[in-house]
Amino acid sequence: MASPLLRTAALFTGSLLGGAVGAVALGGVAIPVDILIEAVFANREAAERRDIKTFIGLVANDLSIVGPRDERTLAAVCNKVDPAIQRFGPTYSRLAEFGLNPAKATGEVAPHLHFTTKSERTELEIWCLKLIRHFYERLPRHAALLNEMLPELWTVLLRRIDSIQDLATTMAANDTERNRLQAEVNALQANDAIRDLAIVSLLQDIGERIGDRSSYPDQLRRAGERYRTLLAESERPRNLAPEFETIRQQVAVLIRDGLLDDAEKLLSDLSQRMATWREQHQAMLHRAQCDEAAILGERALIAEGRLRYRDAAVLHANAADLTDFDPGTSWHYRCEQGNMLLDHGREFGDNNALTEAIAVYEQTLSLVPRSGRPYDWARVQNNLGNALRALGEREHGTKDLERAVEAYELALLVRRDDDVPDEWAMTQNNLGATLAAIGKRESGTSILERAVEAYERALTVRSLEHDPDGWATTRQNLGTALAAIGERENGTLTLQRAVDAYEDALIVRTRKRASLSWALTKNNIGDALRIMGERQEDYILLECAVKAFEDALLEYKRERVPLDWAMTCHNLGITLFALAIRKDDINTLRSAIQCSEQALLEYDRDRVPRDWAMTKNALGNALAELGNRLGDTELQQRAIEAFDDALRERGRDIDPLSWSDTQLNIALTWLQIGRRTKDSGQLRLALEAIDGAIDEFRKAESTAKLATANGFREEILAELIPTHG
């Protein structure tokens, strides 16, 4: 039964975009899909503030559903009116404003009783008239609105309203967001294969699983793509036994109608029945296992479409186990299991899922030997590299990143540009991303330059015309490698090349088309502009960097992509710190501290130790600077604590350059404290820290940082001499 809220929207609310575009039948009531969106976006109170005609229409509708319309039933309804009128019915004095009387109200309600047959209309109108008169007799004794109906109807009302309350609140957004969602709905409705009730189901799943309403249009578009795949799979012939094929056809109908919960339940029942059948028919065991695995695969597609990647991985694993007698079939499910674990690990920051994905891919390699199935073997090697890279980017050291490079290079032994150019270009891009991650952690630029070469090789195949998405991805990655090189060079020429590459990527990666990719590119533009602004002492460039990070945070929401959100908060914080130094602005400095503290809400030591240490170091810098400007030793002591935290992960033997950077920061903070307090002990702590940093900068041949450290050392010694004199 449709809720009164949706009935009200269907009967009394006009379309947002001009005219209904398809209707969904809920409890016998036709509700246009665009009206559903209106009900979701509209303020719920506005839908509830309706006049007496609305309530009478709803009651009449409910009475047409619940059954007999005799005097006994009427008496039961009327007995509910006295405590009920307090919520929905207007006061008697307001009725005069409407110019209503029982007969007129009945006449206005009757045309909306479209759910009744012609033979029932007269009887139902008589009922409405009796009921309306009863309400009118009671109204003078009550001042508020109707509160209750028949118990079974009111229970349905509350349950249905509660089921959309969170979505209604979340989606109470501006016209732009609503129009974006409506546009995606219109695009799906243009595809005859996708029915309106399916769109409703997809909207409900997105509302329940995703907290960030701005990502709803992108989520709906991807859900529609997955749904089309699901439709094709559900209608593909399986040659099942007749009793199973009948159920599967029912499932296909449910999926086409968008009743995914019912479809999943029926598929679950079907898989259980097939498991029993398999045990009883040993001669057909292998065929049954393949069929059951296909059913599990369809269930996995439903789970994937609902962002339940771990559930999908379990279903694929079960399918792989069922078909382990046939490596040619089993490897496919095992590879999909790894893919789902990789997606979960990437999107939800789950390192355990990435570790599991690596193990699954390594197991899958035994099912597809290079000698017999070279292309499948290369595909698994590429996916293994992706999982190793995702995990290695979050950990100290380069062990997993180097293993990823090995996996990509093995894949390239099979994936040649003259044979499978698209796969070759994809693997070259992945190789470049891994080399860039390694190069950022080591001194010099040789590995970063190898990354640039890999990207440029990929771009010989990935063109804007032939593969716009692949071209944009590689241009984005090329910008990241160039920015890392530019950070280590003098001048800004290479950094400007990086910005140009990012701007190219935005030709394809628009916010409307690919919101998260757009946000990533905006973040990277901000990072390059920050370095250029610091190097040129140009606060305008720094302000442009701040704007780029703020743009990225429009799409990077903590609930959806927690680690990407934290990364951008960190980058915004260090940019605000640089801007505060140049503009001598304490408020901007405080904002920098706040950004670092926000990033640490998701950057925890266990999950992303390197990023946690990096952000602790940034927080220490901002605290130290604010403490120095305010003469607040307590703030500077908090800065020292933050630096010490960073050193728990920035070990001298693990990451000597990062260790040296933090030691330099510690030295500068002790120098500032000692200079103010004239405490030689604090100055000696500064000298001890700076000497360690100088030693490592000298080993790494980092001339710029070595010069900075030597300058601070001279300042420390200058303060120590008068202290001892």
Side-chain angles (χ1 to χ4, degrees), residues 185-485:
V185 169
N186 292 343
L188 290 178
Q189 288 175 322
N191 186 327
D192 293 338
I194 301 182
R195 297 181 181 176
D196 290 336
L197 189 55
I199 298 173
V200 173
S201 179
L202 296 176
L203 282 169
Q204 290 172 337
D205 286 335
I206 291 169
E208 291 172 2
R209 299 281 296 173
I210 303 299
D212 174 18
R213 66 171 179 251
S214 65
S215 70
Y216 284 7
D218 292 336
Q219 292 290 345
L220 182 59
R221 183 177 65 256
R222 289 195 290 270
E225 294 169 356
R226 291 165 177 152
Y227 182 75
R228 293 188 188 97
T229 301
L230 174 61
L231 280 175
E233 285 296 317
S234 68
E235 295 175 354
R236 180 177 298 177
R238 299 287 184 198
N239 297 320
L240 301 182
E243 63 270 28
F244 298 145
E245 185 60 34
T246 299
I247 297 175
R248 191 166 178 275
Q249 290 172 2
Q250 295 171 2
V251 169
V253 172
L254 291 171
I255 291 175
R256 179 163 291 282
D257 287 341
L259 301 175
L260 299 184
D261 286 331
D262 294 340
E264 201 284 332
K265 183 179 183 302
L266 203 53
L267 281 173
S268 179
D269 293 341
L270 177 57
S271 63
Q272 292 175 9
R273 291 181 59 181
M274 292 181 72
T276 302
W277 181 89
R278 171 172 48 84
E279 294 171 358
Q280 296 172 348
H281 298 77
Q282 291 298 318
M284 300 177 64
L285 176 61
H286 286 177
R287 182 67 260 162
Q289 286 174 300
C290 287
D291 292 339
E292 187 182 346
I295 297 300
L296 292 173
E298 290 178 18
R299 291 176 62 192
L301 284 171
I302 293 177
E304 178 187 357
R306 294 179 166 187
L307 308 180
R308 300 170 184 167
Y309 298 124
R310 273 203 171 275
D311 292 344
V314 170
L315 290 166
H316 282 304
N318 292 341
D321 291 340
L322 280 171
T323 57
D324 60 0
F325 60 88
D326 179 11
T329 300
S330 182
W331 88 273
H332 167 75
Y333 292 117
R334 196 65 69 190
C335 194
E336 286 301 316
Q337 177 193 359
N339 293 346
M340 293 299 97
L341 290 168
L342 176 56
D343 285 347
H344 184 82
R346 279 174 168 170
E347 293 195 26
F348 295 99
D350 188 341
N351 289 353
N352 290 333
L354 295 176
T355 301
E356 292 173 41
I358 291 167
V360 168
Y361 290 134
E362 290 174 336
Q363 177 186 359
T364 307
L365 285 172
S366 64
L367 302 176
V368 283
R370 179 184 173 187
S371 58
R373 304 178 61 182
Y375 295 108
D376 293 337
W377 175 85
R379 175 183 169 187
V380 178
Q381 289 286 4
N382 180 80
N383 292 355
L384 173 61
N386 290 342
L388 287 165
R389 171 163 57 92
L391 185 61
E393 286 174 341
R394 298 176 185 174
E395 296 179 332
H396 283 303
T398 59
K399 181 181 69 173
D400 284 331
L401 292 172
E402 289 169 356
R403 289 180 60 199
V405 169
E406 293 174 5
Y408 292 133
E409 289 177 338
L410 287 172
L412 288 170
L413 295 176
V414 173
R415 291 181 162 182
R416 299 189 305 273
D417 59 338
D418 60 349
D419 184 16
V420 282
D422 290 340
E423 288 80 358
W424 174 83
M426 176 179 65
T427 307
Q428 288 286 358
N429 175 81
N430 295 341
L431 174 61
T434 311
L435 290 169
I438 296 173
K440 290 177 183 178
R441 301 183 187 185
E442 299 186 357
S443 60
T445 61
S446 60
I447 296 179
L448 290 169
E449 287 166 357
R450 286 177 57 196
V452 170
E453 292 169 0
Y455 292 137
E456 290 174 341
R457 287 194 295 270
L459 288 170
T460 62
V461 171
R462 289 183 159 183
S463 65
L464 177 60
E465 299 77 16
H466 171 69
D467 181 9
D469 289 326
W471 176 82
T473 296
T474 304
R475 289 294 293 170
Q476 145 77 33
N477 292 344
L478 174 62
T480 302
L482 290 170
I485 293 173

Side-chain angles (χ1 to χ4, degrees), residues 17 118 139 420 444 477 488 661 684:
L17 303 179
K118 185 175 181 180
L139 280 172
V420 282
N477 292 344
R488 300 179 185 188
D661 287 339
R684 290 192 178 280

Side-chain angles (χ1 to χ4, degrees), residues 111-179:
H112 298 295
L113 304 180
H114 54 81
F115 42 78
T116 63
T117 64
K118 185 175 181 180
S119 62
E120 293 178 308
R121 185 174 300 279
T122 301
E123 179 187 3
L124 196 53
E125 288 181 7
I126 293 173
W127 263 67
C128 284
L129 183 58
K130 290 180 179 181
L131 202 53
I132 291 171
R133 283 175 175 165
H134 186 82
F135 294 157
Y136 274 54
E137 292 170 1
R138 302 301 194 272
L139 280 172
R141 299 206 301 266
H142 299 277
L145 299 176
L146 185 64
N147 184 48
E148 185 176 293
M149 287 169 53
L150 291 170
E152 59 271 28
L153 298 177
W154 190 245
T155 298
V156 171
L157 168 65
L158 292 178
R159 185 170 66 249
R160 296 302 288 249
I161 288 180
D162 288 343
S163 71
I164 66 169
Q165 175 62 57
D166 292 341
L167 184 59
T169 300
T170 302
M171 295 288 289
N174 57 39
D175 288 340
T176 298
E177 293 173 344
R178 179 172 59 184
N179 291 341

